[in-house]
Amino acid sequence: MGSVIKDVTITDDHPSNFLKEKHSDYIEHYGSKHDVYEYKMSEYLRMCGLYWGLTAMDLLGNLNKMSREDVKRFVLTCQNDDGGFGACKDHDSHILHTLSAIQISMMYDLKDEINVEKTVEYICRLIQDDGSVMGDEWGEIDTRFNFCAVASLALLGCLNKIESKKEAIINYVLSCMNFDGGFGVRPGSESHAGQIYCCLGCLSILGALEHVDRESLGWWLAERQLPSGGLNGRPEKLPDLCYSWWVVASLKIIGKVQWIDKEKLTRFILACQDEETGGFADRPGDMVDPFHTLFGIAGLSLLKSTDNDVRDVNPVFCMSQDLLNNLGVKSSIIS
Amino acid sequence: MHGVLKVRTTAEQQEAKRIEREKKLKKLDSIKAKIFEKKKNNEFDEEILELTGGILSSIPDFLTLWNYRRKAIEKIEDKIELQKLCENELRFAKSCLQVNPKSYGSWHHLCFVMKYMPNPDWKKELDLCSLYLEYDERNFHCWDYRRFVVKNGCVSADDEIEFTSNKIASNFSNYSSWQYRSRLLPEKYPDPSQSRGIQSDILMSELDLVQNAFFTDPNDQSAWFYYRWLLTPDSPTLKLNFLQSYKQGDNLVIIVIFSKPVNKNKLSLKNNDELINTNWINISQDDIFIIHKCQVNDICMGNLSLYVDDQLQFSTIDVEKTRNDGFIFSEFTTGRIELSVDILKSQLENIQQLHDMEEDNKWVLITLIFLLMKIDQFNNYSELVNEYLEKLLRLDPSRKRYYQDLRSKIILEFYMKNYDITDVNLSNKELTSTKCNPISSFLLAKNIDLSNNKLTSIDNSHFWQNAEKINLSGNQLTNVTGIEHVLKLSQLDISNNNIKDIDELQNLKLCSNLSVVNLNGNPIQQVDNWQELLKNISSTIKFI
């Protein structure tokens, strides 16, 4: 009963140069051409999608190609009376979209246009006494939401509003730590690279990385790399480009990024590009989308493997480092 | 979009697809318009269930629509009607999971309905989870739902342990099941005095089980990670490993190192039971929370006591001694409850047997190294460094740096144990990192020679608190970040490295005692005017 490693094969037919202009075109025209169906069907995640696209453009240094006015109008129509943001106009508020809306607002300097006070109240209402965080008023609990809440407040400069709950949030996140040093969705849930990123991000912003077992976790994360160079999110799973973000950002936060093979990973990321349309897919040869396009570009930025073609990304907020420097938003990273 | 292969289609096929999609979108738009209209009028009724159902069945992550369904459920007051409706909702959410088994919205709806309905059938849900996990034994949403059902339906930990045993028996490669056991066993069979907090007989049988797994399939990661965890004791108690205090100017300086990380905000000092105003700083960038330093005004008498979170850690920092020749306390202990050497040795025997059969298996090698280090790192030094780690570097080059760092640690610890602690010579050891245990090893060294290694950064300098002379020549440094922690430094040799940029040397000016820096053989010497530029960094440092 020997296990076969689940992986993909990369050949010379897969792209190996960074197609910067194509990606920029892909994002700029997303939703207006052949992918109009995908665009409309993904209305339920529009705000997050907008953040992916805009951040990708920002990292490419092409944010000026997007219409600030259109973005502003859209974001403002998505803020609900409860202070949170929905995915689209008329959609209910959710912490995922609230974080995205705030990230976009920071990119476009819209802080004075949105109702910050109400947003902060909305976020604080979702934080429970035990330190867990609900996604919305319907009570789903997930460590992704801990990151969303804390990152949102940090970006708005309002972390002081949760001073009394800080200890509880840290302890809750730590209660989700597992035998492998990783973190899951809730206490008892299996470790998953995406949740690990969220938990490390949350602890980084709250200045509590001392609790992380960096040796065990760093080793586990390094073992996500497969022979193709790509990374999976859990043991015995297929590689997926988005883990080039979740895993590498996590390694970066705990100061162990040198434990993976950067060249091989870069090769995998580049192979996920679509030479015709631009954009990145989850695996070489699959359909591209904005989500993987952002994490492909951000991954390359973290690895510093495209010379100066991509701007520096911050591993905690997944936003350009320059922008965060200008905003004075800080997070701790172990170097 | 995950796992959707890009396929080439003919123009005809494309056109047909376009028409079909247009139709779909039209339908979607008209249903949506009706739904939002009803929402406006606060009409959360049976029709809303039908309308939202039409969309959710193909887009199950449209969260707002699940919310509307819940609003409709909340409107029902009659218990029998509510029960019936909830049963329908469970059926509907499950049908959405057939479309997308990873839909967060559908899984959460199941939880909501089960909590809300008058007579939830937990047993049925548990059986459903078991069934789903037969199709996909790694679906973490399903495992999480299972844990939700277990908690609310009062399923015993015994039953769940048995469930994971059966899962593992049918397929050893089942990370989710091993992970679940790591939570269940300490809960069901607790013994805080034992390693991992699990009763020792249970721990032993667990070791047997997991060995069965990796003897069957030594390439499967799952069992190896779990095995490593079973063999790694946690460190429940915090220990003070090192304390140094000395006088500097008008102040007393105190440096402390702990067995595990502590946040600086939890540290305090008392003099005769009175809290002293101190500002602790993390000296390091890396082991940020293990080593701390503070300065206090030299006005105290008698002894100082160190507290962590109001717990006394050390009561007798002798102020008089501190003032004169300095005071040092050093005791290396991890505070861990280790497994007995007999147990470790019997484990090692088995792993060695597997290694004989599978000599090129990296997991076996990693585990072999791990056990040899635990049992007797110094006696096994040569095998570890020259044989096993060399081989791992060959077998698994992608994680080269991980193994090199591990090798560096073993080498350092081996040499440090015999060294004159004030004069450390570690040149030509192929080191990629200078991290080691006890981390206080470097603390008293006045001369540190790390020349001709493979260091790419100065990664442990916060422990070089007493170093005056440091030799880092012949490494691969591109900067001197970290050198600013070495406050007593007077001579630094960084010749034959890879320093290209003058700006990378700015940190040198933070070492106020530094008088000589050897820069020979660095690319920086090709920069125009480099000698002049260096003068701008510091006029008191002599650059060679």
Side-chain angles (χ1 to χ4, degrees):
Chain A
M1 199 171 64
S3 64
V4 181
I5 295 177
K6 296 186 178 119
D7 200 3
V8 297
T9 314
I10 293 170
T11 68
D12 289 344
D13 293 339
H14 293 118
S16 56
N17 293 317
F18 181 51
L19 310 167
K20 182 176 172 177
E21 292 315 314
K22 289 222 156 141
H23 301 316
S24 180
D25 283 350
Y26 168 71
I27 297 290
E28 189 182 348
H29 299 114
Y30 184 73
S32 67
K33 280 195 261 177
H34 52 279
D35 40 31
V36 64
Y37 177 76
E38 276 85 22
Y39 180 78
K40 287 217 160 190
M41 290 294 280
S42 60
E43 174 186 316
Y44 68 91
L45 50 72
R46 179 79 63 248
M47 187 67 82
C48 292
L50 191 62
Y51 153 75
W52 299 329
L54 294 174
T55 304
M57 288 303 258
D58 198 15
L59 294 178
L60 293 172
N62 283 335
L63 194 59
N64 54 352
K65 291 192 176 172
M66 311 301 275
S67 160
R68 182 180 188 273
E69 272 316 298
D70 288 354
V71 171
K72 179 179 153 186
R73 202 176 315 119
F74 174 79
V75 170
L76 294 182
T77 57
C78 294
Q79 183 160 31
N80 291 312
D81 292 340
D82 60 12
F85 288 80
C88 251
K89 185 174 180 295
D90 294 330
H91 287 224
D92 290 352
S93 298
H94 196 281
I95 191 89
L96 287 169
H97 303 298
T98 303
L99 170 61
S100 291
I102 292 169
Q103 286 170 312
I104 296 166
S105 301
M106 294 297 146
M107 260 182 266
Y108 279 114
D109 196 15
L110 298 174
K111 200 178 154 186
D112 295 335
E113 315 270 345
I114 61 174
N115 190 333
V116 172
E117 205 185 317
K118 276 180 99 175
T119 311
V120 171
E121 278 170 21
Y122 172 77
I123 296 164
C124 290
R125 270 203 305 279
L126 296 177
I127 304 174
Q128 306 298 290
D129 288 341
D130 69 354
S132 64
V133 179
M134 305 195 300
D136 61 14
E137 56 170 325
W138 295 97
E140 186 181 1
I141 297 285
D142 188 321
T143 45
R144 286 180 302 155
F145 308 149
N146 286 71
F147 172 73
C148 292
V150 168
S152 297
L153 293 174
L155 288 169
L156 293 172
C158 294
L159 273 178
N160 57 332
K161 292 279 195 308
I162 52 162
E163 199 50 47
S164 63
K165 285 185 179 170
K166 195 174 138 181
E167 209 63 28
I169 296 173
I170 294 170
N171 287 334
Y172 179 77
V173 168
L174 293 175
S175 72
C176 300
M177 196 195 280
N178 287 315
F179 78 108
D180 45 28
F183 298 83
V185 177
R186 285 181 284 277
S189 306
E190 183 179 343
S191 297
H192 179 288
Q195 309 291 145
I196 291 170
Y197 162 80
C198 290
C199 291
L200 291 180
C202 178
L203 294 175
S204 158
I205 295 167
L206 296 179
L209 284 173
E210 76 265 26
H211 302 287
V212 178
D213 180 353
R214 284 174 287 133
E215 291 293 313
S216 301
L217 179 56
W219 178 51
W220 189 88
L221 287 166
E223 283 295 344
R224 299 305 101 239
Q225 188 161 34
L226 295 157
S228 67
L231 304 165
N232 59 18
R234 293 188 284 157
E236 318 301 346
K237 299 290 252 177
L238 273 171
D240 181 322
L241 176 71
C242 62
Y243 296 112
S244 308
W245 175 257
W246 312 121
V247 173
V248 181
S250 299
L251 283 168
K252 193 96 183 170
I253 293 170
I254 62 168
K256 300 292 185 199
V257 80
Q258 66 277 19
W259 283 357
I260 54 164
D261 187 332
K262 293 186 196 181
E263 275 170 35
K264 275 181 111 175
L265 176 57
T266 301
R267 180 70 195 95
F268 176 87
I269 297 176
L270 293 173
C272 293
Q273 299 175 106
D274 188 320
E275 276 173 316
E276 281 175 323
T277 59
F280 290 76
D282 60 346
R283 285 184 274 281
D286 282 357
M287 296 289 283
V288 298
D289 60 67
F291 174 83
H292 289 95
T293 302
L294 168 62
F295 293 128
I297 293 169
L300 290 173
S301 170
L302 277 185
L303 296 170
K304 296 203 184 300
S305 40
T306 57
D307 295 326
N308 293 320
D309 265 355
V310 183
R311 300 170 68 203
D312 282 350
V313 69
N314 175 286
V316 173
F317 289 94
C318 195
M319 297 165 75
S320 94
Q321 187 60 52
D322 288 343
L323 173 63
L324 292 170
N325 291 347
N326 291 341
L327 295 168
V329 175
K330 290 200 174 68
S331 52
S332 49
I333 285 168
I334 296 167
S335 57
Chain B
M1 210 170 290
H2 283 97
V4 184
L5 198 69
K6 186 173 170 175
V7 253
R8 304 238 160 250
T9 45
T10 64
E12 206 174 326
Q13 284 170 318
Q14 275 178 23
E15 181 59 14
K17 198 173 173 186
R18 192 189 62 78
I19 292 170
E20 187 207 312
R21 286 181 151 190
E22 210 162 78
K23 255 178 150 167
K24 254 190 174 169
L25 284 180
K26 242 187 181 162
K27 194 179 146 204
L28 180 74
D29 280 340
S30 87
I31 305 179
K32 244 171 34 197
K34 275 189 210 157
I35 293 174
F36 285 127
E37 184 62 28
K38 285 181 79 74
K39 192 234 166 179
K40 234 183 230 160
N41 303 324
N42 207 15
E43 289 171 0
F44 295 104
D45 50 16
E46 223 164 280
E47 196 191 357
I48 207 108
L49 294 177
E50 200 190 309
L51 291 168
T52 55
I55 298 180
L56 285 170
S57 56
S58 56
I59 314 177
D61 272 318
F62 205 133
L63 291 184
T64 300
L65 302 187
W66 287 112
N67 297 345
Y68 294 174
R69 293 182 85 87
R70 290 190 274 266
K71 282 187 181 168
I73 298 172
E74 284 183 345
K75 287 223 160 166
I76 310 291
E77 279 168 15
D78 180 76
K79 285 224 158 148
I80 297 170
E81 200 186 332
L82 179 63
Q83 175 73 16
K84 217 179 119 204
L85 179 68
C86 285
E87 282 168 9
N88 276 332
E89 283 303 286
L90 293 177
R91 259 194 300 279
F92 175 69
K94 286 167 195 170
S95 74
C96 293
L97 287 174
Q98 308 273 323
V99 180
N100 177 9
K102 294 176 179 174
S103 151
Y104 284 93
S106 314
W107 287 108
H108 178 61
H109 196 63
L110 287 181
C111 295
F112 174 86
V113 175
M114 285 302 285
K115 279 277 215 186
Y116 196 80
M117 71 197 292
N119 298 306
D121 184 349
W122 296 105
K123 172 80 178 59
K124 192 176 163 192
E125 295 306 294
L126 192 69
D127 291 344
L128 177 97
C129 290
S130 303
L131 183 72
Y132 277 11
L133 290 173
E134 266 176 45
Y135 296 126
D136 179 0
E137 59 193 6
R138 296 296 302 285
N139 184 330
F140 70 84
H141 300 272
C142 190
W143 280 104
D144 284 343
Y145 184 59
R146 184 180 183 95
R147 279 181 275 266
F148 164 82
V149 171
V150 164
K151 193 173 156 205
N152 288 285
C154 300
V155 181
S156 75
D158 267 340
D159 287 352
E160 287 302 278
I161 291 171
E162 198 192 325
F163 177 75
T164 57
S165 297
N166 291 337
K167 280 259 137 220
I168 288 167
S170 69
N171 180 7
F172 281 129
S173 173
N174 194 325
Y175 199 82
S176 309
S177 290
W178 293 114
Q179 125 79 19
Y180 197 10
R181 290 175 84 82
S182 76
R183 292 271 182 170
L184 289 166
L185 293 178
E187 181 192 318
K188 172 69 194 171
Y189 304 103
D191 184 346
S193 71
Q194 294 294 318
S195 177
R196 283 293 152 217
I198 301 170
Q199 290 170 18
S200 61
D201 53 329
I202 300 291
L203 187 69
M204 293 315 290
S205 63
E206 201 65 4
L207 286 171
D208 284 346
L209 178 69
V210 72
Q211 281 191 24
N212 255 335
F214 58 66
F215 266 85
T216 310
D217 181 2
N219 287 312
D220 174 48
Q221 297 192 352
S222 315
W224 290 112
F225 279 115
Y226 187 61
Y227 185 58
R228 169 73 72 103
W229 176 76
L230 288 171
L231 294 177
T232 317
D234 36 10
S235 38
T237 44
L238 180 79
K239 302 276 181 189
L240 180 70
N241 281 173
F242 181 91
L243 187 150
Q244 182 185 19
S245 56
Y246 56 88
K247 191 171 162 109
Q248 192 178 57
D250 293 336
N251 292 319
L252 305 180
V253 177
I254 297 168
I255 298 168
V256 290
I257 297 182
F258 294 99
S259 61
K260 58 180 194 175
V262 187
N263 200 303
K264 64 171 181 173
N265 301 328
K266 315 225 160 173
L267 302 176
S268 58
L269 276 181
K270 284 183 187 170
N271 185 211
N272 303 327
D273 286 338
E274 249 177 77
L275 206 63
I276 304 180
N277 214 350
T278 42
N279 186 21
W280 290 93
I281 49 166
N282 307 318
I283 310 182
S284 60
Q285 291 182 306
D286 193 329
D287 292 283
I288 20 178
F289 310 98
I290 292 179
I291 176 164
H292 300 277
K293 184 175 180 174
C294 76
Q295 297 199 357
V296 287
N297 251 327
D298 182 13
I299 45 162
C300 325
M301 298 298 283
N303 286 335
L304 290 169
S305 338
L306 172 73
Y307 287 79
V308 176
D309 253 349
D310 298 334
Q311 291 272 324
L312 181 66
Q313 289 293 327
F314 194 79
S315 61
T316 48
I317 307 171
D318 188 328
V319 174
E320 200 47 43
K321 243 182 138 191
T322 299
R323 232 172 249 144
N324 299 328
D325 26 294
F327 174 84
I328 286 169
F329 160 83
S330 176
E331 181 185 77
F332 181 62
T333 159
T334 59
R336 288 186 177 143
I337 306 165
E338 292 281 355
L339 286 165
S340 76
V341 176
D342 286 345
I343 295 177
L344 292 173
K345 281 190 173 161
S346 77
Q347 298 298 314
L348 177 68
E349 229 168 84
N350 294 337
I351 298 294
Q352 254 155 349
Q353 199 187 343
L354 186 57
H355 177 59
D356 291 341
M357 296 188 279
E358 301 266 348
E359 52 179 26
D360 284 342
N361 183 296
K362 76 163 204 182
W363 295 98
V364 182
L365 270 169
I366 291 171
T367 310
L368 194 57
I369 291 167
F370 175 74
L371 282 166
L372 286 172
M373 283 176 72
K374 270 199 165 312
I375 292 166
D376 191 344
Q377 184 173 330
F378 298 143
N379 266 325
N380 297 315
Y381 174 78
S382 168
E383 270 169 301
L384 280 167
V385 171
N386 301 322
E387 193 180 333
Y388 299 136
L389 275 158
E390 274 303 316
K391 193 164 180 184
L392 260 181
L393 280 161
R394 257 198 334 271
L395 287 174
D396 188 19
S398 284
R399 277 157 285 269
K400 184 171 77 186
R401 231 350 244 281
Y402 174 72
Y403 303 126
Q404 286 175 334
D405 285 357
L406 183 61
R407 190 176 61 178
S408 300
K409 180 175 179 286
I410 298 171
I411 294 172
L412 279 167
E413 287 169 12
F414 182 75
Y415 282 95
M416 297 299 273
K417 86 181 156 91
N418 292 326
Y419 261 111
D420 170 357
I421 46 175
T422 59
D423 196 0
V424 176
N425 182 350
L426 291 160
S427 63
N428 288 301
K429 297 279 185 290
E430 292 193 54
L431 303 176
T432 54
S433 158
T434 57
K435 283 180 205 158
C436 61
N437 279 321
I439 41 184
S440 46
S441 308
F442 279 102
L443 251 168
L444 297 172
K446 290 199 161 125
N447 298 320
I448 299 176
D449 184 353
L450 287 161
S451 59
N452 300 316
N453 282 296
K454 293 177 172 174
L455 301 172
T456 51
S457 65
I458 302 176
D459 62 356
N460 220 18
S461 55
H462 34 276
F463 296 111
W464 305 350
Q465 290 291 318
N466 293 297
E468 293 162 11
K469 262 174 85 176
I470 294 179
N471 186 351
L472 285 161
S473 74
N475 281 286
Q476 297 156 18
L477 303 176
T478 54
N479 62 58
V480 292
T481 307
I483 205 72
E484 67 277 9
H485 301 303
V486 194
L487 294 172
K488 295 184 182 171
L489 184 65
S490 74
Q491 288 180 45
L492 175 67
D493 189 343
I494 41 173
S495 58
N496 299 315
N497 275 284
N498 200 18
I499 297 164
K500 294 181 181 136
D501 192 343
I502 300 271
D503 273 346
E504 297 290 3
L505 296 173
Q506 292 289 354
N507 282 6
L508 291 176
K509 67 180 167 209
L510 301 171
C511 306
S512 53
N513 292 325
L514 188 58
S515 57
V516 184
V517 176
N518 187 344
L519 270 171
N520 260 324
N522 278 289
I524 205 168
Q525 292 178 316
Q526 275 127 44
V527 176
D528 288 344
N529 235 354
W530 65 278
Q531 278 154 318
E532 286 304 306
L533 292 169
L534 284 173
K535 276 186 194 147
N536 293 339
I537 291 179
S538 165
S539 55
T540 55
I541 302 173
K542 187 177 163 206
F543 290 99
I544 309 173

